[in-house]
Amino acid sequence: MTIASLDELAGALARNRIAGDVGDLPMSLLQSSDQAEDVQTAALDAFDSDFRGYALVGTSRQARSTLGLEQPIFSAIPKKSFHEGKHRFRLPNGMIGAQCELVLTIGRTYPAMGEKIDRLSASAAVIACQPAIGLIGRRARPGADIRLAAIADFAFHVATLCGHSARHVDPLELDGIGIVARIDDRPIASGRTNLVLGHPLEAVVWLAERLAAQGKTLNADDVVATGSCTPILQVLPSQLLMVDFGQLGTVGCAFD
């Protein structure tokens, strides 16, 4: 099938995500950030009709280096790709890896009318925090402009797998937490929550500013997946990934 328009490209990305496939698509059709965002939106609408919040990718220097990005990117999280308490997951083709991240739940419209967007106001808007594994991958090979292709391709989002909520943690104190990731009970990576833009709440600030530029806000019960607090981890079928977030608890998943 020849793909000659942005609408057709969005449809092909959605079909590949549904099928768990990755292939050669004409990502060179993308000539601007606006076009890449429009393709992402159309692909999301073709994939699901309900959304749970937003996933950020590339919020640490190391993650950006791994992915070839100069700045973070984001995508809405389709509801059917958001899982709480899921202990097994079938990996699709095109996997890049796993992000050890936090998922923050927003308790109200943020920002409110006239409210300053900063770390302090973000802390007042966050009502819950969950340890999480964010799976990222491709539905298309990237082509020459990695950033535009990544934005259009759901910002690499595959799935968000959440552990239990830590509802009594002060959001302003989320930056000092150490993380250890194990695959098949072998430690493979460590990190700290402050690797996310200096503080996990800055992921909410960064996202809120970009949504505000589009005339949008975060809403009550939206979640924000912060991006990885450790290096991006390669995960393979038959492996078990367990991530210890210290006082925030643990999250784990076996992969098929």
Side-chain angles (χ1 to χ4, degrees), residues 9 76 141 149 163 176 254:
L9 177 59
R141 297 181 178 89

Side-chain angles (χ1 to χ4, degrees), residues 87-119:
H87 302 296
R88 299 198 72 88
F89 188 86
R90 180 175 295 279
L91 298 173
N93 293 324
M95 282 296 302
I96 296 171
Q99 300 194 123
C100 304
E101 60 187 357
L102 301 179
V103 166
L104 306 177
T105 301
I106 307 300
R108 60 172 173 83
T109 299
Y110 180 73
M113 183 70 70
E115 184 176 22
K116 182 179 181 181
I117 301 174
D118 61 15
R119 189 182 299 180

Side-chain angles (χ1 to χ4, degrees), residues 13-24:
L13 286 166
R15 288 192 296 274
N16 280 3
R17 186 166 184 174
I18 291 167
D21 288 338
V22 59
D24 291 313

Side-chain angles (χ1 to χ4, degrees), residues 214-247:
Q214 301 172 7
K216 301 176 183 177
T217 63
L218 288 162
N219 298 308
D221 206 38
D222 279 349
V223 298
V224 178
T226 63
S228 198
C229 308
T230 69
I232 294 171
L233 309 177
Q234 183 183 37
V235 290
L236 300 171
S238 80
Q239 290 182 332
L240 171 65
L241 173 61
M242 294 293 299
V243 190
D244 184 349
F245 286 78
Q247 69 196 74

Side-chain angles (χ1 to χ4, degrees), residues 33-255:
S33 295
D34 287 345
Q35 287 184 341
E37 290 165 5
D38 288 346
V39 167
Q40 185 198 104
T41 298
L44 283 164
D45 287 342
F47 179 69
D48 201 353
S49 60
D50 198 4
F51 301 92
R52 189 65 181 81
Y54 298 89
L56 280 63
V57 171
T59 49
S60 72
R61 184 179 295 108
Q62 190 167 21
R64 290 193 296 275
S65 177
T66 299
L67 298 170
L69 299 173
E70 294 183 358
Q71 58 187 346
I73 56 177
F74 74 98
S75 169
I77 300 175
K79 192 168 184 179
K80 65 185 178 184
S81 299
F82 183 82
H83 307 283
E84 296 184 88
K86 189 176 183 70
H87 302 296
R88 299 198 72 88
F89 188 86
R90 180 175 295 279
L91 298 173
N93 293 324
M95 282 296 302
I96 296 171
Q99 300 194 123
C100 304
E101 60 187 357
L102 301 179
V103 166
L104 306 177
T105 301
I106 307 300
R108 60 172 173 83
T109 299
Y110 180 73
M113 183 70 70
E115 184 176 22
K116 182 179 181 181
I117 301 174
D118 61 15
R119 189 182 299 180
L120 186 60
S121 63
S123 73
V126 170
I127 60 169
C129 174
Q130 294 164 270
I133 296 168
L135 299 178
I136 56 175
R138 293 185 174 90
R139 271 58 54 162
R141 297 181 178 89
D145 195 316
I146 293 172
R147 177 175 171 271
L148 294 184
I151 292 170
D153 191 1
F154 304 96
F156 293 142
H157 184 261
V158 171
T160 302
L161 314 173
C162 294
H164 294 298
S165 175
R167 290 187 173 271
H168 302 297
V169 176
D170 182 349
L172 288 171
E173 297 180 357
L174 286 173
D175 60 324
I177 298 169
I179 299 162
V180 178
R182 293 178 172 83
I183 288 182
D184 296 335
D185 208 30
R186 179 171 58 90
I188 58 162
S190 61
R192 297 192 70 81
T193 48
N194 62 4
L195 294 178
V196 173
L197 299 173
H199 194 294
L201 286 174
E202 293 296 331
V204 178
V205 171
W206 183 92
L207 177 61
E209 289 175 341
R210 276 139 192 87
L211 292 176
Q214 301 172 7
K216 301 176 183 177
T217 63
L218 288 162
N219 298 308
D221 206 38
D222 279 349
V223 298
V224 178
T226 63
S228 198
C229 308
T230 69
I232 294 171
L233 309 177
Q234 183 183 37
V235 290
L236 300 171
S238 80
Q239 290 182 332
L240 171 65
L241 173 61
M242 294 293 299
V243 190
D244 184 349
F245 286 78
Q247 69 196 74
L248 297 180
T250 61
V251 61
C253 190
F255 300 112

